Amino acid sequence: MKCGICSEKAVYKRYCSKHFKDYFENKVKVTIKRFGLLKKKDNVAVAVSGGKDSMALLHVLHKLGYRITAVAVDEGIAGYRDKTLKTMTSYCKSEDIGYRIVSFKDNFGKTLDEIMDKEKIRPCSVCGVFRRYLLNLHTRKFDVIATGHNLDDEAQAILMNLVKSNMSLLFRLGPVSGYHNNESFTKRIKPFYLCPEKEVMIYSFLNKLNTEFSECPNVGLSFRLRIRDRLNEIELKMPGTKRNLVDWFLRIKEKLPGDLGSPDTCRICGEPSTKERCNACNYISELKLGGN
Amino acid sequence: MDIFIEKDSKNICLAYEGKVSGLLQKLKVNPETVIVVRGGELIADDDLVSDKDSIRLMSVISGG
């Protein structure tokens, strides 16, 4: 099949390599404009893991001329995170993009592997809480944090929270997530909000970014995996399902009164929290870790 | 046809001639989850593959 725009060979739907990249970058620009995600003068922290989504995000935002710094969280998951971080640092050095790496070990005294070794808990819960905590703590001076969450991620998160009836978590989702108008909370944005994961992968591949398969060794224990697989099965039979789910969610969210308000402050660490003691401090205490 | 399935780090040999979409159906692989590469180049669902080809199925899904 030929590209619908030129006479080159199509590599995906009716797009050749060049016109697919144009289409993808344009979709990101439209998403940024539609949801008011970024201004050109913004100082942007790009949350980077070294995987295909965050590398694609780094590349697109760099190409579109935004002021970016890559920020990575090193949980210390052996055989996984060390490899992906090398990809990030290598790219940043070659493109002259500033970067910083913040680690569980430096901040909590142990890697996630060391924590998991002793405790019988779901790694994803601890990992997620600590990652978000560190990301917020170390990006205070930035205007926004851009994450590589894509359409698939959002559709999965919507379904996960619906299934668990987690309404407060559900309505924190969106292209701009978390709490607004709070100095201690850095606004988070998702420029890939409307981009299917497959398109992100294709973009990464065509730009020769890292597309090597890497999956967290703890992923088999996650609820998200089950939702992800079911959603992909449905999408195959009913194309457009993921996009419809996200569009539905955006319409519902519009009808909610006001915003989420301002979070309280954890009385231990001073970070934003909906409770007197934040989840990170709870885990630090429960797991007897360093930090606070 | 030689096929490398990246997610499983597995090589398989299969007799097949036809469209990429048909190959994925035969392998019971959801097209949402892979991109198909031949000779280092991305190929589309409608492209034809033959027994002489070496194909790589790269997983779209990664991370945790």
Side-chain angles (χ1 to χ4, degrees):
Chain A
M1 191 187 291
K2 298 273 185 220
C3 174
I5 300 168
C6 66
S7 59
E8 290 296 307
K9 184 187 162 315
V11 296
Y12 175 71
K13 295 187 176 170
R14 297 295 305 275
Y15 295 107
C16 66
S17 175
K18 175 196 176 321
H19 288 116
F20 176 81
K21 290 184 216 172
D22 290 345
Y23 148 79
F24 186 87
E25 286 159 13
N26 194 55
K27 191 185 262 195
V28 174
K29 272 196 254 181
V30 165
T31 303
I32 289 172
K33 189 172 179 185
R34 175 178 164 185
F35 298 113
L37 301 184
L38 282 174
K39 296 186 268 294
K40 270 288 155 65
K41 63 178 175 66
D42 281 339
N43 204 357
V44 186
V46 183
V48 182
S49 64
K52 63 159 194 321
D53 300 283
S54 56
M55 291 308 299
L57 182 63
L58 205 53
H59 185 81
V60 164
L61 293 183
H62 184 50
K63 194 168 173 187
L64 294 179
Y66 289 100
R67 295 169 56 205
I68 59 173
T69 302
V71 179
V73 176
D74 181 6
E75 313 92 339
I77 303 171
Y80 171 61
R81 186 55 73 215
D82 39 0
K83 281 202 284 188
T84 63
L85 284 180
K86 257 192 212 150
T87 303
M88 180 204 83
T89 53
S90 181
Y91 178 82
C92 287
K93 282 173 186 166
S94 70
E95 297 294 317
D96 199 25
I97 296 170
Y99 68 90
R100 60 179 79 163
I101 300 172
V102 297
S103 73
F104 276 26
K105 186 80 178 183
D106 287 344
N107 285 270
F108 307 121
K110 285 186 182 174
T111 64
L112 185 68
D113 286 350
E114 286 165 351
I115 295 168
M116 291 309 300
D117 200 33
K118 295 251 167 5
E119 309 293 335
K120 286 180 176 41
I121 49 171
R122 281 185 175 273
C124 302
S125 306
V126 174
C127 186
V129 165
F130 280 165
R131 282 174 61 85
R132 285 187 290 274
Y133 173 84
L134 287 180
L135 210 49
N136 198 62
L137 187 65
H138 292 276
T139 55
R140 215 45 88 65
K141 293 196 167 104
F142 292 88
D143 295 306
V144 296
I145 304 172
T147 63
H149 291 98
N150 54 56
L151 182 80
D152 287 52
D153 293 320
E154 190 77 350
Q156 289 160 23
I158 291 166
L159 261 190
M160 284 165 69
N161 285 304
L162 273 176
V163 164
K164 290 192 166 183
S165 193
N166 263 333
M167 301 311 281
S168 61
L169 286 182
L170 176 65
F171 289 111
R172 278 188 222 165
L173 298 173
V176 182
S177 58
Y179 295 93
H180 312 278
N181 305 319
N182 186 300
E183 276 175 13
S184 58
F185 192 91
T186 314
K187 182 171 97 166
R188 280 144 203 248
I189 61 161
K190 299 169 188 169
F192 286 173
Y193 194 73
L194 298 178
C195 301
E197 186 162 24
K198 183 160 178 169
E199 289 186 3
V200 178
M201 175 65 175
I202 291 171
Y203 184 79
S204 268
F205 180 83
L206 294 176
N207 283 292
K208 300 184 182 3
L209 304 169
N210 178 46
T211 49
E212 189 186 317
F213 176 71
S214 65
E215 195 168 56
C216 179
N218 298 315
V219 77
L221 303 165
S222 82
F223 174 46
R224 181 179 281 271
L225 180 86
R226 284 188 275 254
I227 292 287
R228 180 190 77 189
D229 290 347
R230 297 297 81 75
L231 204 42
N232 277 332
E233 284 164 16
I234 298 169
E235 181 75 30
L236 182 61
K237 294 191 166 73
M238 296 170 54
T241 294
K242 293 170 194 170
R243 179 60 194 259
N244 288 340
L245 188 51
V246 169
D247 283 343
W248 164 84
F249 170 72
L250 288 172
R251 285 198 300 275
I252 293 285
K253 200 171 163 172
E254 254 177 37
K255 307 237 181 272
L256 290 177
D259 65 17
L260 299 166
S262 218
D264 282 328
T265 302
C266 172
R267 65 175 169 78
I268 311 284
C269 67
E271 286 297 296
S273 171
T274 55
K275 299 172 267 199
E276 224 181 61
R277 191 155 87 160
C278 71
N279 288 336
C281 285
N282 276 336
Y283 274 132
I284 288 168
S285 168
E286 192 183 310
L287 300 169
K288 297 184 181 42
L289 300 173
N292 299 318
Chain B
M1 176 189 298
D2 290 322
I3 304 169
F4 178 68
I5 303 173
E6 186 191 45
K7 187 173 189 288
D8 304 323
S9 285
K10 194 166 73 172
N11 262 311
I12 61 171
C13 272
L14 185 74
Y16 177 82
E17 305 236 339
K19 285 187 183 178
V20 166
S21 53
L23 173 65
L24 295 181
Q25 249 182 331
K26 194 173 169 92
L27 293 170
K28 294 187 178 31
V29 170
N30 188 329
E32 287 288 302
T33 65
V34 294
I35 62 171
V36 183
V37 174
R38 176 177 56 193
E41 301 287 328
L42 181 64
I43 53 176
D45 286 353
D46 275 0
D47 281 337
L48 295 173
V49 289
S50 75
D51 277 342
K52 294 191 296 268
D53 287 328
S54 265
I55 300 291
R56 187 178 182 98
L57 298 191
M58 295 182 69
S59 181
V60 161
I61 297 166
S62 61

